[in-house]
Amino acid sequence: MPDLPVVALTSPIHPDAHARLAAECEVRVAAGPDADALRAVVREADGLIVRNHLPEDIFDHAPRLRAVMRHGVGLDMIPVERATARGIAVGNLPGSNTAAVVEYCLGAMLQLRRGLSTMDAALRGQGWAPARAMADRGTELRGTTCGIVGVGTIGAQLAALCQALGMRTLGLTRRPDTLPAGVQAADLATLMRESDVIVLCCPLTPQTRGLIDADALALARPDAILINVARGPVVVTAALADALARGALGGAALDVHDIQSLPADAAILHAPRTLLTPHVAGSTATSMRRMSDGAVDDMLRMLRGQAPSHPVNTP
């Protein structure tokens, strides 16, 4: 019986999907997310399923590798050009975690506008009257404006949800002609000035790196809130922390950070009116199952010499 192909995982996937993959391949899971552990796990791998950032030289350590599958959507974790140069096919799963990310954005809006968890903590720690007084500071979403930077699959579904809630929607995208119905095209300055809620859904590119800097934040309304489900470096974190400290911005929800894992001494941890999460906007039990199943389906397809359902490159 011929040897089974080896598939490396940068971190575990859903157990049912893992079992299905293991029925046809030898599955090896990296000992950790650090670069050395990732280099080690790919040495004999024919395929790689990616949930962590790969080091730029990863493919120098993987002479047998021929298929890379992103367990999700974002491709900044993978040095795609280097994969292409080595003849390694790359695929990803657009839309696999869209619902999870959109629901996260709604939850963040409601927390920053209504402060329900803060009110709960006050009720438990301070009593009924102090907690009840907090309700008077809450504001509704209906009748306000949501500005979305990056109106792809996630941004478009978020816009539809915001419109259903009675919000006006603005969109900043490279192709304004593709904006969904009801989304008004806006440049960055207009979006920052007119939005009550600013949501970043864009990919990290040379054009979006540092897009939300001190100059952009200076245009925002002092009661506006910022939600980042894109990538950490889209925001200049020091400028954001400063704006929050000065009361120049109403609040921020950050699921992604310019340094991950977030250091214990990160300044943003001490910024007021923030909701901070560890890059989990797209992660739920539901989305994990969907992404794992999709990644295994496509990995098996690629190992048979077929194209993935969503090819990223043409090696």
Coordinates of all heavy atoms in Angstrom, one line a residue, residues 4-12 18 21-22 25-31 40-49 64:
L4 N 0.6 7.2 2.6 CA -0.4 8.3 2.5 C 0.2 9.6 2.4 O 1.3 9.9 2.9 CB -1.3 8.3 3.8 CG -2.1 7.0 4.0 CD1 -2.8 7.1 5.4 CD2 -3.2 6.9 2.9
P5 N -0.4 10.6 1.7 CA 0.1 12.0 1.6 C 0.1 12.6 3.0 O -0.8 12.2 3.8 CB -0.8 12.7 0.7 CG -2.1 11.9 0.7 CD -1.7 10.5 0.9
V6 N 1.0 13.4 3.3 CA 1.1 14.1 4.6 C 0.5 15.5 4.5 O 0.9 16.2 3.6 CB 2.6 14.2 5.1 CG1 2.7 15.0 6.4 CG2 3.2 12.8 5.3
V7 N -0.4 15.8 5.4 CA -1.1 17.1 5.5 C -0.7 17.7 6.8 O -1.0 17.1 7.9 CB -2.6 17.0 5.2 CG1 -3.2 18.4 5.4 CG2 -2.9 16.5 3.8
A8 N -0.1 18.8 6.8 CA 0.2 19.6 8.0 C -0.8 20.6 8.4 O -1.4 21.2 7.5 CB 1.6 20.3 7.9
L9 N -1.1 20.7 9.6 CA -2.0 21.8 10.1 C -1.3 22.7 11.0 O -0.5 22.3 11.9 CB -3.2 21.1 11.0 CG -3.9 19.9 10.4 CD1 -4.9 19.4 11.4 CD2 -4.6 20.2 9.1
T10 N -1.4 24.0 10.8 CA -0.7 25.0 11.6 C -1.3 25.0 13.0 O -0.6 25.4 14.0 CB -0.7 26.4 11.0 OG1 -2.1 26.9 11.0 CG2 -0.2 26.4 9.6
S11 N -2.6 24.6 13.2 CA -3.2 24.5 14.5 C -4.4 23.6 14.2 O -4.8 23.3 13.1 CB -3.6 25.8 15.0 OG -4.4 26.6 14.2
P12 N -5.0 23.0 15.3 CA -6.1 22.1 15.1 C -7.3 22.6 14.3 O -7.6 23.8 14.3 CB -6.5 21.7 16.5 CG -5.3 22.0 17.3 CD -4.7 23.2 16.7
H18 N -11.1 16.8 10.9 CA -9.8 16.2 11.1 C -9.9 14.7 10.9 O -9.0 14.1 10.2 CB -9.3 16.4 12.6 CG -7.9 15.9 12.8 ND1 -6.9 16.7 13.2 CD2 -7.4 14.6 12.8 CE1 -5.8 16.0 13.4 NE2 -6.1 14.7 13.1
L21 N -10.1 13.9 7.2 CA -8.9 14.1 6.6 C -7.9 12.9 6.9 O -7.2 12.4 6.0 CB -8.3 15.4 7.0 CG -6.9 15.8 6.4 CD1 -7.0 16.0 4.8 CD2 -6.4 17.1 7.0
A22 N -7.9 12.5 8.2 CA -7.0 11.4 8.6 C -7.3 10.1 8.0 O -6.5 9.2 7.9 CB -7.1 11.3 10.1
C25 N -5.2 10.7 4.7 CA -3.9 11.3 4.8 C -3.3 11.1 6.2 O -4.0 10.8 7.1 CB -4.0 12.8 4.5 SG -4.8 13.3 3.0
E26 N -2.0 11.2 6.2 CA -1.3 11.3 7.5 C -1.4 12.8 8.0 O -0.8 13.6 7.3 CB 0.1 10.8 7.4 CG 0.8 10.9 8.8 CD 2.3 10.5 8.7 OE1 2.7 9.8 7.7 OE2 3.0 10.8 9.6
V27 N -2.0 13.1 9.1 CA -2.2 14.4 9.5 C -1.2 14.7 10.7 O -1.1 14.0 11.6 CB -3.6 14.7 10.0 CG1 -3.8 16.1 10.5 CG2 -4.6 14.3 8.9
R28 N -0.5 15.9 10.5 CA 0.4 16.3 11.5 C 0.1 17.7 11.9 O 0.0 18.6 11.1 CB 1.9 16.2 11.0 CG 2.3 14.8 10.6 CD 3.7 14.8 10.0 NE 4.1 13.4 9.5 CZ 5.2 13.1 9.0 NH1 6.2 14.1 8.8 NH2 5.5 11.9 8.5
V29 N 0.0 18.0 13.2 CA -0.4 19.3 13.8 C 0.9 19.9 14.3 O 1.7 19.3 15.1 CB -1.4 19.2 14.9 CG1 -1.8 20.6 15.3 CG2 -2.6 18.4 14.3
A30 N 1.1 21.2 14.0 CA 2.3 21.9 14.5 C 2.3 22.0 16.0 O 1.2 22.1 16.6 CB 2.3 23.3 13.9
A31 N 3.5 21.9 16.6 CA 3.6 21.9 18.0 C 3.2 23.3 18.6 O 3.0 23.4 19.8 CB 5.0 21.6 18.4
A40 N 9.0 23.2 11.0 CA 9.2 21.8 11.3 C 8.1 20.9 10.8 O 8.3 19.8 10.2 CB 9.4 21.6 12.8
V41 N 6.9 21.4 10.9 CA 5.7 20.5 10.6 C 5.6 20.4 9.1 O 4.9 19.4 8.6 CB 4.4 21.1 11.2 CG1 3.9 22.3 10.4 CG2 3.4 20.0 11.4
V42 N 6.1 21.3 8.3 CA 6.0 21.2 6.8 C 7.1 20.4 6.1 O 7.0 20.2 4.9 CB 5.8 22.6 6.2 CG1 4.6 23.3 6.7 CG2 7.1 23.4 6.3
R43 N 8.1 20.0 6.8 CA 9.3 19.4 6.2 C 8.9 18.2 5.3 O 9.5 18.0 4.2 CB 10.3 18.9 7.3 CG 11.1 20.1 7.8 CD 12.0 19.6 8.9 NE 12.6 20.8 9.6 CZ 12.9 20.8 10.8 NH1 12.8 19.8 11.6 NH2 13.5 21.9 11.4
E44 N 8.0 17.4 5.7 CA 7.6 16.2 4.9 C 6.2 16.3 4.3 O 5.6 15.4 3.9 CB 7.7 15.0 5.7 CG 9.2 14.7 6.1 CD 9.3 13.5 7.0 OE1 8.2 13.0 7.5 OE2 10.4 13.0 7.2
A45 N 5.6 17.5 4.4 CA 4.2 17.7 4.1 C 4.0 17.8 2.6 O 4.7 18.5 1.8 CB 3.6 18.9 4.8
D46 N 2.9 17.2 2.1 CA 2.4 17.4 0.7 C 1.3 18.5 0.7 O 1.2 19.2 -0.4 CB 1.8 16.1 0.2 CG 2.8 14.9 0.2 OD1 3.7 14.9 -0.6 OD2 2.7 14.1 1.1
G47 N 0.6 18.7 1.8 CA -0.4 19.7 1.8 C -0.3 20.4 3.2 O 0.2 19.9 4.2
L48 N -0.8 21.7 3.2 CA -0.8 22.5 4.4 C -2.1 23.2 4.6 O -2.5 23.9 3.6 CB 0.4 23.5 4.3 CG 0.5 24.5 5.5 CD1 0.8 23.8 6.8 CD2 1.6 25.5 5.1
I49 N -2.8 23.1 5.7 CA -4.0 23.9 6.1 C -3.6 25.0 7.1 O -3.0 24.7 8.1 CB -5.1 23.0 6.6 CG1 -5.5 22.0 5.5 CG2 -6.2 23.8 7.1 CD1 -6.6 21.0 6.0
R64 N 8.4 19.0 -0.5 CA 7.3 18.2 -1.1 C 6.0 18.9 -1.2 O 5.0 18.4 -1.8 CB 7.1 16.9 -0.2 CG 8.2 15.9 -0.3 CD 8.0 14.8 0.7 NE 6.7 14.3 0.9 CZ 6.4 13.3 1.7 NH1 7.4 12.7 2.4 NH2 5.1 12.9 1.9

